[in-house]
DNA sequence: CGCGATTTTGAGCCATGTCAATCGGAGTGG
DNA sequence: CCACTCCGATTGACATGGCTCAAAATCGCG
């Protein structure tokens, strides 16, 4: 039920829908979430654990597109395979099939769930853009910080952050595969952050020691909506 | 009508829906496609010209998330602004509002359009993953080639490629903003490709001289679905 | 206690960025 | 038709961030 709450459902709706979520699937770290059998698209929800959306290249290198935390929806299309996009558990993982929830009889609960799912998917999409920017325009140092801050914020929303500290099961290799760096360089970057006293990262736990300064590091991508930057204004000259 | 065809509609459906597409908006290169007035999400279609989905950073740097070609759907949410994600015309651009098409009375036409839109959006999403991989795991040389090949294939689908040659309005700076490189380095990369006789790019036109070799360059991301690579198998050990 | 997975270190290299200048073509006004 | 301007493409010199390779040190776990 707590898992359902995390999707963005009210506690009431979550309680009512809970019976439908009996069918939790479990995965071990390193296994792939099974794609749909038929031609149809499949929907599921992460209840506990971490997973990622990734692609594996022929030469063995990997690119992680996104991390999936409790409450995140999973969408798997029939075409999604190893070479395209697969969902892989990074820890022990609990997932429930969203099919029954979407077909729930009670209109209001179904509506609520549908709405929650839609906004969650929308936010997932936004995160892809953030990630694109991270890979395209940020420095290694900034990429790592930016990723950690994203994860902090997402975990915070589902109540898994306590005084800037949270459980962190990612391997340095996972981070590297996400932010497009080599493991060695991720390691050096983390060491620098430690040395500077900005964060503490070790044995499955991260603590942000100076959150404000960390945010300032990647703050270059914050634009005050009320006052578009001069550069932007230059680029977007109005039609004359 | 040709524009509508490009969305993936049959010629018949396109003809029937054409009257609804009278309200074409026109934009000049460099202007932003206007976001929705209200709280609602807005849907539109590119009829002619090129646009891009981008974000502008406070320091003036940009990241292009995707290029939009004729037939591509545009989705603009209320939250999308300069600092987040904006749609900017790269050439003269014609766009029609998809609202009326989605509300068309005739069921079958509406269905057809809805289906076309859905699959187009799905493919757009897939392209984001390709782009993520491009930025995260490919070399400068490969990134440029991979991007050009994507554009070639998309243009080919809408009949704008003739013997491996197509109109190409992108500036080297646009390419740089897309693939996350500096303009200077994009320039050098293109020169190398020219020198090697792989492609001809100049004055708004690209010709792929050796398509097969170009594809081979980025072929590292092709995995035969029937035979997952050994590396993948290693990573995805089944539960014991 | 020992093994595989992960993290850490060091050395050296090269891909890519930065800065700054030049060049070329298209439009524009005189 | 010419001088001027502006934008995009091009070049060279130089700096450096991040990669590779290879080895060692640690950690987690059975």
């Amino acid at each position: 039920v707590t898992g359902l709450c995390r999707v963005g459902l009210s506690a009431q709706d979550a309680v009512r829908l809970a019976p439908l979520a009996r069918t939790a699937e479990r995965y071990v770290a390193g296994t792939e979430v099974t794609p749909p059998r038929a031609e149809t698209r499949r929907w599921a929800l992460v209840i506990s654990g971490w997973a990622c959306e990734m692609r594996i290249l022929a030469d063995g290198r990997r690119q992680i597109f996104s991390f999936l935390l409790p409450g995140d929806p999973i969408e798997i299309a029939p075409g999604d395979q190893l070479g395209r996009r697969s969902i892989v558990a990074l820890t022990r993982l609990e997932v429930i099939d969203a099919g029954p929830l979407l077909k729930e009889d009670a209109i209001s609960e179904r509506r609520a769930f549908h709405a929650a799912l839609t906004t969650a998917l929308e936010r997932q999409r936004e995160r892809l853009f953030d990630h694109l920017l991270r890979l395209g325009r940020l420095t290694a140092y900034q990429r790592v910080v930016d990723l950690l801050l994203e994860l902090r914020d997402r975990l915070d929303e589902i109540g898994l952050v306590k005084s800037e500290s949270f459980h962190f099961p990612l391997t340095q290799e996972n981070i590297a595969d996400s932010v497009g760096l080599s493991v060695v360089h991720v390691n050096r970057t983390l060491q620098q952050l430690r040395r500077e006293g900005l964060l503490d990262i070790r044995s499955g736990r991260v603590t942000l020691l100076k959150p404000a300064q960390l945010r300032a590091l990647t703050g270059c991508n914050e634009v005050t909506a009320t006052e578009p930057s001069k550069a932007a204004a230059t680029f977007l000259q109005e039609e004359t």
Side-chain angles (χ1 to χ4, degrees), chain A:
Chain A
V1 177
T2 59
L4 279 177
C5 272
R6 289 182 177 141
V7 197
L9 288 176
S10 72
Q12 299 175 5
D13 289 328
V15 168
R16 292 214 194 85
L17 287 170
L20 288 173
R22 286 265 167 272
T23 57
E25 299 165 27
R26 282 150 199 283
Y27 297 90
V28 185
T31 55
E32 185 179 357
V33 173
T34 58
R37 33 273 164 213
E39 293 296 301
T40 63
R41 188 170 304 269
R42 186 195 175 199
W43 301 87
L45 282 178
V46 176
I47 293 301
S48 73
W50 291 39
C52 71
E53 216 176 358
M54 66 182 292
R55 185 180 298 177
I56 303 185
L57 304 183
D59 59 11
R61 289 181 309 159
R62 320 192 186 97
Q63 176 64 48
I64 292 181
F65 301 132
S66 75
F67 292 108
L68 301 171
L69 309 180
D72 283 334
I74 301 180
E75 185 185 357
I76 317 185
D80 295 333
Q81 319 219 346
L82 269 188
R84 298 294 307 169
R85 165 178 169 270
S86 40
I87 310 291
V88 177
L90 295 173
T91 66
R92 208 169 318 131
L93 186 75
E94 269 183 308
V95 161
I96 60 173
D97 200 68
L101 299 175
L102 287 168
K103 300 192 196 87
E104 157 71 3
D105 291 326
I107 301 270
S108 89
E109 272 86 5
R110 190 176 57 207
R111 271 251 159 86
F113 180 68
H114 204 280
L117 191 63
T118 304
T119 73
L121 285 170
E122 178 58 28
R123 299 194 48 202
Q124 237 175 43
R125 208 176 74 109
E126 303 245 316
R127 268 186 248 119
L128 285 186
F129 293 127
D130 293 340
H131 198 36
L132 237 11
L133 190 117
R134 203 176 282 148
L135 294 179
R137 288 301 178 210
L138 296 194
T139 190
Y141 190 71
Q142 294 175 311
R143 288 187 211 183
V144 171
V145 171
D146 195 49
L147 175 64
L148 290 176
L149 287 174
E150 178 196 306
L151 292 172
R152 189 219 89 101
D153 290 342
R154 291 169 63 190
L155 289 168
D156 192 29
E157 278 178 32
I158 55 178
L160 295 182
V161 176
K162 284 163 185 76
S163 61
E164 299 301 333
S165 174
F166 50 91
H167 171 62
F168 188 79
L170 296 188
T171 226
Q172 292 185 4
E173 187 178 15
N174 289 330
I175 301 178
D177 286 338
S178 168
V179 296
L181 298 169
S182 68
V183 192
V184 174
H185 203 249
V186 165
N187 181 283
R188 295 196 164 108
T189 305
L190 290 176
Q191 282 177 59
Q192 187 184 346
L193 286 165
R194 273 195 286 250
R195 216 178 314 125
E196 297 170 335
L198 295 179
L199 57 76
D200 181 53
I201 175 170
R202 65 176 173 219
S203 67
R205 176 153 283 270
V206 166
T207 307
L208 307 183
L209 300 174
K210 304 188 178 171
Q213 289 176 46
L214 288 171
R215 294 206 189 264
L217 285 175
T218 64
C220 63
N221 54 0
E222 316 264 334
V223 170
T224 49
T226 54
E227 177 206 351
S229 70
K230 190 170 149 204
T234 305
F235 187 74
L236 298 173
Q237 334 119 27
E238 286 305 317
E239 179 176 1
T240 53

